[in-house]
């Protein structure tokens, strides 16, 4: 993995062992798909070694299998994609201790020759890339579904090197053919990858929560590059030692810290007079209060009417994290030292914009900040100001992000990649209120120590550095990594805000939080253009507001029922037991956010499973089956087992077209067990979002119990939400090669039988 030009020369590249020391499995540059066969192996043999406890199958050992896989998917993949011979000896060298390791330094030259070859065959290049893309899709499907079995015998360094190799070749291809297939990350290799780079990331002061969050969003290549640089955000006085994968304790404000702070520790200036009375009058007139500041006259407040569409007053809307010292929950006042710095930043970013566009800069540069412009006291004026947030940020000439960590970066001495990764990892990106401020922005800028930059500025700076580098590779890999790090910002600025009622924005909800739980529904209502006043009039109880929000929104994706990563706690009231207390999640996976909210019924959007919520419950169409505890194959031997990876688990036998053996593991309420569930008198059902088959051998689902009225005339099963679970395919012998997952104890009795229901079974989950 030493072909990359990393940011820190002192960072040592992780060594990748070369596993074929006996040179038995050297790649032969023949047809790649038949490499295993030529070496006297088959895929079932490799899988058997991976799954079975014995380390040898017919004389083939796990060490042999690992060496074969490395030759097949590393050196063989280079040859399969580029169609140029690969000399394995050039990629193998000895380290200081004489051990054989893989060096990827020849890779860039190999890819340069490949690009030259494609350029010389311009008339055939498109057809060649189309064939490569087809090969890539086959590889990705194969890796995504079967690579999991290699985790027990393939060294982590080797797995990570395969990820890096595939990503590097993908970037080389996309640099020439940007509209060709963009391979997704090899998610089944992420265990390899995170174990390989987590330690250097932690050593370089990156928060474990940030590592977990960005690990779900950025490409492995970007994360690998990130591991080579030190985190400078926030100040070194902040420790992330107590942070977990899902909670950054260092960035959470301590009790009482949400109050205005000085720009410097030794500053002794006094708070400005409160602006509350004046901004209240302006807001009540349906106008936007705009501010300007000078040392001589102090703060000035002007009014911008929303009722005059022709009135175009340039101004900057400030987006910030209150815990950085710019917030004040008790009054509309701040320290003048902070306001002066803010005015300087606003004037500079507006002046730079005017110079770029050739406009004449007006005398005053106005700005808007919630701390001074949203009435602090709860009441009608505050609700009105919050309801105006979309108009305020949409009408702003520039939305300027002021983040305490980013303000430590000097653009002159900080690389574009470090600026990009610092933006992606900033505290601003983890707050719920800042989400709407980013998505509504016409132009989004981030304030650094010396200048405000837009994502376009950072990318352009990276391109200029590449063009001035004499020994650069054939394509600008650094800029592609910068763009990947900034991809979330680009998505916020480009996506249609309310297509399918904000289903795209719900992806961005993951990993965000708010210090006041009751604010979540207000933010969601603004994003989805629902009635904010109706929610504001309710008591500030997050549960009360959430139930009201659900009934206002009404249409959801069925994934809201199965979403892994959503709030574990569910409502206890009938009709809402399916609903989480919060839609904020700690995962970016599709099960957590994909199409979470929708505005249309399934007949209008046949490609999306839409659910409808009312006081009765969540109405969905989805696959499922009925459990039968009364008809067990061995009723006297029923014993739930504790799986090796935790959870209360039982075995299930499913007859019919989906005949097979499955394992059901409870993953929701920790106080529940199968012993307790057996005592329920009502019929028990499992609802799944999809079939479990060869390509998808596990699925999150929910356990429900039928009510006294098990169905309606329309065939809808009325049921009660009980718990979340995961279903694993353990054994199947129908259609082709038998499948057995040896991770599960074969001695666990086959206790429960089940009957599959229709693929579009209607449910009302209460």
């Amino acid at each position: 993995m030493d072909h990359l030009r990393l940011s820190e020369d002192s960072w040592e590249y992780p060594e990748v062992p070369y596993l074929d020391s006996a040179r038995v499995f050297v790649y032969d540059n023949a047809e790649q798909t038949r490499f295993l066969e030529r070496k006297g192996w088959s895929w079932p043999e490799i899988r058997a070694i991976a799954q079975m406890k014995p380390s040898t199958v017919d004389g083939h050992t796990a060490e042999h299998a690992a060496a074969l896989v490395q030759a097949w998917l590393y050196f063989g993949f280079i040859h399969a994609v580029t169609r140029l011979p690969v000399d394995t000896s050039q990629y193998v060298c000895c380290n200081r201790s004489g051990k054989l390791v893989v060096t990827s330094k020849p890779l860039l030259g190999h890819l340069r020759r490949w690009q030259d070859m494609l350029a010389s065959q311009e008339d055939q290049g498109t057809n060649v890339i189309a064939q490569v893309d087809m090969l890539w899709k086959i590889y990705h499907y194969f890796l995504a579904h079967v690579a999991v079995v290699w985790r027990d015998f393939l060294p982590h360094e080797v797995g990570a090197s395969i990820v890096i190799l595939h990503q590097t070749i993908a970037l080389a291809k996309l640099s020439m053919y940007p509209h060709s297939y963009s391979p997704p990350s090899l998610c089944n290799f992420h265990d390899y990858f995170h174990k390989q780079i987590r330690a250097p990331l932690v050593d370089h002061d990156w928060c474990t929560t940030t590592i977990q969050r960005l690990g779900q969003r950025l490409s492995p290549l970007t994360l690998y590059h990130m591991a080579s640089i030190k985190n400078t955000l926030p100040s070194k006085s902040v420790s992330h030692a107590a942070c977990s994968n899902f909670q950054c304790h260092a960035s959470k404000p301590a009790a009482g810290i949400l109050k205005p702070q000085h720009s410097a520790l030794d500053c002794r200036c006094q708070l400005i007079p409160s602006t509350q009375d004046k901004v209240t009058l302006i807001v009540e007139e349906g106008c936007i209060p705009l501010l300007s500041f000078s040392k001589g006259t102090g703060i000035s407040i002007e009014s911008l009417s929303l009722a005059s569409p022709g009135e175009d007053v340039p101004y900057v809307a400030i987006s910030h994290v209150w815990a950085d010292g710019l917030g004040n929950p008790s009054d509309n006042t701040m320290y003048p030292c902070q306001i002066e710095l803010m005015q300087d930043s606003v004037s500079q970013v507006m002046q730079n914009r005017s110079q770029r566009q050739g406009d004449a800069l007006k005398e005053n540069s106005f700005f808007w900040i919630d701390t001074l412009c949203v009435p602090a006291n709860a009441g009608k004026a505050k609700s009105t100001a919050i309801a105006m947030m979309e108009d305020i940020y949409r009408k702003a000439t520039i939305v300027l992000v002021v983040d305490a960590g980013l303000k430590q970066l000097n653009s002159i001495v900080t690389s574009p990649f470090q600026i990009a990764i610092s933006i992606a990892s900033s505290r601003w990106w983890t707050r719920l209120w800042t989400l709407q401020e980013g998505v509504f922005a016409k132009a989004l800028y981030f304030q650094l120590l010396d200048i405000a930059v837009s994502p376009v500025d950072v990318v352009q700076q990276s391109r200029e550095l590449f063009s001035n580098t004499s020994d650069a590779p054939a394509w600008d890999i650094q800029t592609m990594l910068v763009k990947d790090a900034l991809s979330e910002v680009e998505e916020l600025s480009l996506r249609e805000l309310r297509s399918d009622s904000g289903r795209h924005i719900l992806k961005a909800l993951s990993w965000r939080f708010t210090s006041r739980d009751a604010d979540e529904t207000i933010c969601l209502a603004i994003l989805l253009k629902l009635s904010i006043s109706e929610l504001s009039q309710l008591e500030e109880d997050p549960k009360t507001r959430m139930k009201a929000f659900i009934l206002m929104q009404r249409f959801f994706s069925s994934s809201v029922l199965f979403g892994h990563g959503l709030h574990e706690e569910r409502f206890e009231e009938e009709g809402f037991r399916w609903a989480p207390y919060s839609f904020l999640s700690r995962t970016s996976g599709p099960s957590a956010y994909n199409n979470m909210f929708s505005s249309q019924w399934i007949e209008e959007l046949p490609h999306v499973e839409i659910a409808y919520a009312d006081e009765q419950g969540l109405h969905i169409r989805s696959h499922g089956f009925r459990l039968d505890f009364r008809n067990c194959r061995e009723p006297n031997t029923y014993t739930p087992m504790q799986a090796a990876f935790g959870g209360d688990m039982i075995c299930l036998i499913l007859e019919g077209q989906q005949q097979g053996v499955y394992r059901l593991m409870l993953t929701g309420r920790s106080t529940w067990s199968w012993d307790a569930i057996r005592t329920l008198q009502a019929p028990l059902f499992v609802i799944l979002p999809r079939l479990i088959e060869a390509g998808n051998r596990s699925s999150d689902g929910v356990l429900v119990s039928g009510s006294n009225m098990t169905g309606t005339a329309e065939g809808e099963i009325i049921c009660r939400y009980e718990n979340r679970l995961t279903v694993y395919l353990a054994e199947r012998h129908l259609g082709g090669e038998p499948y057995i997952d040896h991770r599960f104890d074969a001695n666990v009795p086959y206790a429960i039988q089940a009957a599959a229901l229709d693929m579009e079974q209607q449910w009302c989950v209460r």
Side-chain angles (χ1 to χ4, degrees), residues 24-64:
V24 176
F25 303 109
V26 175
Y27 188 71
D28 54 9
N29 292 302
E31 185 182 350
Q32 200 269 350
T33 57
R34 314 212 37 186
F35 179 67
L36 297 183
E37 180 182 338
R38 292 195 300 275
K39 294 299 180 180
W41 283 67
S42 67
W43 165 243
E45 286 180 300
I46 295 179
R47 189 172 64 188
I49 287 177
Q51 291 182 326
M52 296 179 65
K53 294 179 181 178
S55 60
T56 303
V57 176
D58 295 333
H60 291 163
T61 67
E63 290 75 14
H64 292 158

Side-chain angles (χ1 to χ4, degrees), residues 672-714:
W672 281 57
S673 69
W674 285 108
D675 282 331
I677 290 171
R678 287 187 76 192
T679 63
L680 296 175
Q681 298 300 314
L684 291 175
F685 301 88
V686 172
I687 307 178
L688 297 173
R690 63 173 183 266
L691 279 174
I692 299 178
E693 49 193 355
N696 298 296
R697 292 171 179 166
S698 67
S699 174
D700 291 329
V702 293
L703 179 74
V704 298
S705 60
S707 63
N708 293 331
M709 178 182 178
T710 58
T712 65
E714 292 76 23

Side-chain angles (χ1 to χ4, degrees), residues 239-539:
S239 172
H240 292 281
C243 298
S244 67
N245 285 346
F246 301 104
Q247 182 62 65
C248 176
H249 298 285
S251 65
K252 288 190 67 176
I257 203 170
L258 286 179
K259 57 184 180 181
Q261 299 175 27
H262 291 280
S263 61
L265 294 176
D266 58 350
C267 182
R268 297 293 182 266
C269 64
Q270 301 298 310
L271 291 169
I272 67 168
S274 175
T275 62
Q276 180 160 272
D277 292 342
K278 190 162 185 178
V279 299
T280 297
L281 291 174
I282 294 174
V283 169
E284 288 176 342
E285 293 173 353
C287 298
I288 301 175
L290 297 179
L291 313 174
S292 62
F293 178 85
S294 66
K295 288 184 177 180
T297 59
I299 197 82
S300 299
I301 307 177
E302 303 292 336
S303 175
L304 174 62
S305 174
L306 290 176
S308 304
E311 187 176 2
D312 184 16
V313 178
Y315 69 93
V316 173
I318 304 297
S319 178
H320 66 105
V321 177
W322 275 40
D324 284 345
L326 299 181
N328 188 347
S330 59
D331 198 1
N332 295 109
T333 183
M334 294 173 62
Y335 288 109
C337 58
Q338 293 279 23
I339 302 175
E340 183 179 355
L341 287 177
M342 194 176 304
Q343 181 67 73
D344 291 343
S345 298
V346 167
S347 298
Q348 182 190 47
V349 72
M350 290 295 282
Q351 182 179 17
N352 291 341
R353 173 188 175 276
S354 298
Q355 290 176 349
R356 288 182 179 182
Q357 298 187 355
D359 297 336
L361 182 65
K362 295 185 178 181
E363 182 178 350
N364 293 325
S365 295
F366 293 107
F367 66 94
W368 182 97
I369 184 170
D370 52 3
T371 310
L372 299 179
C373 297
V374 175
N377 291 342
K380 183 178 179 180
K382 182 174 183 178
S383 299
T384 301
I386 292 174
M388 294 166 58
M389 296 284 267
E390 177 177 349
D391 290 323
I392 291 168
Y393 282 95
R394 275 192 178 278
K395 287 181 69 70
T397 309
I398 289 172
V399 173
L400 180 62
V401 175
V402 179
D403 179 274
L406 294 176
K407 287 181 67 177
Q408 299 178 28
L409 300 179
N410 189 321
S411 65
I412 298 176
V413 297
T414 308
S415 71
F417 179 79
Q418 185 160 359
I419 293 174
I421 208 67
S422 296
I423 289 173
S425 60
S426 66
R427 291 206 297 182
W428 179 85
W429 208 259
T430 65
R431 298 308 195 269
L432 182 57
W433 279 105
T434 59
L435 170 60
Q436 61 177 347
E437 297 160 9
V439 296
F440 292 147
K442 290 187 293 188
L444 190 64
Y445 280 73
F446 295 85
Q447 184 63 49
L448 306 183
L449 177 65
D450 56 326
I451 195 172
V453 297
S454 69
V456 174
D457 295 334
V458 181
V459 171
Q460 182 59 34
Q461 183 185 1
S462 179
R463 285 174 176 160
E464 292 174 357
L465 287 175
F466 172 78
S467 63
N468 294 327
T469 303
S470 58
D471 60 341
W475 74 99
D476 190 355
I477 188 172
Q478 191 79 10
T479 297
M480 299 183 87
L481 298 181
V482 168
K483 293 176 70 174
D484 183 46
L486 294 171
S487 58
E488 286 187 277
V489 183
E490 184 178 358
E491 290 171 3
L492 288 180
S493 63
L494 294 179
R495 61 169 56 111
E496 285 295 327
L497 200 67
R498 296 185 178 99
S499 59
D500 298 339
S501 259
R503 67 188 180 111
H504 298 299
I505 292 178
L506 265 296
K507 177 180 179 179
L509 271 184
S510 60
W511 294 97
R512 291 184 182 265
F513 66 90
T514 176
S515 55
R516 298 176 71 254
D517 293 339
D519 286 350
E520 178 184 345
T521 51
I522 300 295
C523 292
L524 291 176
I526 294 174
L527 290 168
L528 299 171
K529 217 170 182 60
L530 302 176
S531 173
I532 302 167
S533 59
E534 185 175 336
L535 290 172
S536 299
Q537 291 171 8
L538 299 174
E539 59 178 301

